[in-house]
Amino acid sequence: MTSKVTYNGELRTTCTHIRSGNEMITDAPTDNHGLGQAFSPTDTVATGLASCMMTVMGIKAADLDIDLVGATAEVTKHMASDPRRISKIEVHLELPAVVSQKHRTILERTANTCPVHYSLHPDIEKVITFNWSVK
């Protein structure tokens, strides 16, 4: 088992990672009857894309002896209705490493082939931008 999700009432859940015991709360967004006081379930999906991209980039960067510590990603999720769903995810990555064009290409391809990227429905538009430091 990967996780256990408990419904707390008032459109809120507690998600527990079984192996570590770490917990996170989700809350329905304000535009869908919730309080918007935590990540919504769809926020976690969109954020998971960026987290997965950065994780696989980190694995590949270590192989290339590149340090990506301090890299950040800004995530914007767009919703559609009828049926309510994620229609678009924008991920803007800020990468502090100064690397060659060859290594940029390798790392960007790695990010765009992460497991979450492949797991998202093809109808979800994914707009990914990479901003590499230039020194």
Side-chain angles (χ1 to χ4, degrees):
M1 181 168 43
T2 301
S3 62
K4 181 178 180 180
V5 180
T6 304
Y7 183 69
N8 303 324
E10 298 182 358
L11 309 180
R12 177 168 284 188
T13 68
T14 299
C15 308
T16 305
H17 182 256
I18 298 302
R19 186 174 189 145
S20 68
N22 286 335
E23 292 184 345
M24 73 172 185
I25 303 286
T26 68
D27 200 7
T30 56
D31 67 346
N32 199 26
H33 310 287
L35 300 174
Q37 295 177 341
F39 281 100
S40 72
T42 54
D43 291 342
T44 65
V45 170
T47 302
L49 173 60
S51 179
C52 189
M53 292 173 76
M54 293 178 86
T55 299
V56 296
M57 285 178 77
I59 294 167
K60 181 56 80 175
D63 292 343
L64 299 171
D65 200 29
I66 296 169
D67 184 5
L68 292 182
V69 171
T72 61
E74 295 177 353
V75 180
T76 304
K77 172 198 71 177
H78 301 267
M79 297 295 291
S81 58
D82 200 22
R84 187 166 171 80
R85 66 196 179 287
I86 299 170
S87 60
K88 177 175 160 181
I89 301 171
E90 298 176 65
V91 178
H92 178 78
L93 294 123
E94 290 287 334
L95 300 143
V98 177
V99 299
S100 68
Q101 185 58 49
K102 176 183 175 183
H103 285 159
R104 286 182 189 186
T105 300
I106 291 168
L107 291 168
E108 289 176 12
R109 284 183 182 156
T110 299
N112 284 313
T113 58
C114 79
V116 172
H117 196 284
Y118 278 136
S119 298
L120 293 170
H121 194 281
D123 287 351
I124 297 174
E125 181 183 358
K126 294 165 230 43
V127 179
I128 312 299
T129 57
F130 298 88
N131 185 29
W132 292 92
S133 292
V134 178
K135 291 184 183 178

